[in-house]
Amino acid sequence: MDRITAILFDKDGTLFDFQASWGGWAARLLEGLAAGDHGRHAALAAAVGFDTATRRFRRDSIAIASTAEEIARRMVPHLPGHRVDDLVASMNAQAAAARMVPAVPLGPLMDGLAARGLALGVATNEAEAPARAHLAAAGIADRVDFVAGCDSGHGAKPAPGQLLAFAAAVGRRPGEVLMVGDSRHDLLAGRRAGMATAAVLTGIAAAEDLADLADAVLPDIGHLPDFLDRLAGLPPRA
């Protein structure tokens, strides 16, 4: 593995705890779309892999790593009169206002990583505008050198376009970049881009779902400094 000089983060499930951030939001979205029709509500929940009783996404949910358009296409057959484009626009607008729950205190972590000379970026299959809104709300928009969403012109994961665009933007070779994510889409994109990969468990997937594509599986991104120290051959911090 090359010396790591840049880190590219997925957003949902990586920077922010997935279930804590999106469970309640999804419940409200589905209730609004169902408009009191219990059969429609059940069909919508099944289409996106959402457990209405626990207000949590299932491990096989399409929401783990899909774009808003892909999710909308799953729901539209159960929503007579709705168009995919209109549903995507509505979902993105509502998503921008969703309250994200950081996986760890993000400001200190980002500052510590930047102090190591690392370039930092975010690549998400969400649209870019809500992603930037969430980073700003978390107080870390100025800590990242690059943000790409599924509509930023680089494609969406698991294709490597966003990742290669980050490497080019910050002047790093792909092999110097660590891709950090909570889904197979994130890690597969990293492999395809020729980057190192680290999985975190603050999304929906379990360790066994990710281990074969990851150079390391970490509980959360707060463990990245220790992981980087191990790569550099430094002794554990006290």
Side-chain angles (χ1 to χ4, degrees):
M1 184 185 297
D2 292 351
R3 184 174 71 90
I4 298 301
T5 64
I7 299 179
L8 183 60
F9 294 93
D10 170 56
K11 185 177 77 73
D12 299 319
T14 302
L15 293 176
F16 303 103
D17 183 284
F18 193 96
Q19 300 282 21
S21 297
W22 291 107
W25 179 89
R28 293 188 294 274
L29 174 71
L30 297 180
E31 288 165 3
L33 290 172
D37 185 322
H38 297 298
R40 180 176 298 168
H41 186 270
L44 290 169
V48 299
F50 186 73
D51 186 323
T52 57
T54 62
R55 295 164 70 96
R56 294 174 67 85
F57 289 91
R58 299 188 177 96
R59 277 173 61 181
D60 62 351
S61 171
I62 187 177
I64 294 174
S66 297
T67 65
E69 180 177 350
E70 291 167 333
I71 296 169
R73 289 190 182 281
R74 285 283 187 94
M75 293 195 293
V76 157
H78 308 289
L79 294 167
H82 284 69
R83 297 173 58 246
V84 169
D85 290 349
D86 293 338
L87 184 54
V88 168
S90 176
M91 289 169 59
N92 284 339
Q94 293 180 59
R99 187 180 73 86
M100 297 291 100
V101 179
V104 301
L106 294 175
L109 174 66
M110 293 298 196
D111 287 344
L113 294 174
R116 294 170 178 251
L118 296 164
L120 305 174
V122 177
T124 175
N125 278 0
E126 187 179 32
E128 183 176 335
R132 287 189 178 276
H134 295 154
L135 296 176
I140 59 168
D142 61 345
R143 264 68 161 213
V144 297
D145 306 296
F146 175 93
V147 179
C150 64
D151 57 352
S152 300
H154 311 299
K157 298 170 289 186
Q162 293 178 335
L163 287 69
L164 296 174
F166 168 67
V170 297
R172 305 299 204 272
R173 291 181 294 104
E176 296 177 68
V177 180
L178 176 67
M179 176 68 213
V180 184
D182 67 300
S183 76
R184 292 187 66 82
H185 274 34
D186 300 323
L187 304 177
L188 185 56
R191 292 294 195 210
R192 289 173 173 173
M195 297 177 177
T197 57
V200 290
L201 303 179
T202 42
I204 299 175
E208 58 265 30
D209 300 325
L210 307 173
D212 63 311
L213 293 174
D215 294 305
V217 178
L218 308 175
D220 57 52
I221 55 174
H223 289 74
L224 280 170
D226 286 342
F227 173 62
L228 294 170
D229 287 347
R230 291 198 302 273
L231 290 181
L234 299 176
R237 293 179 296 169

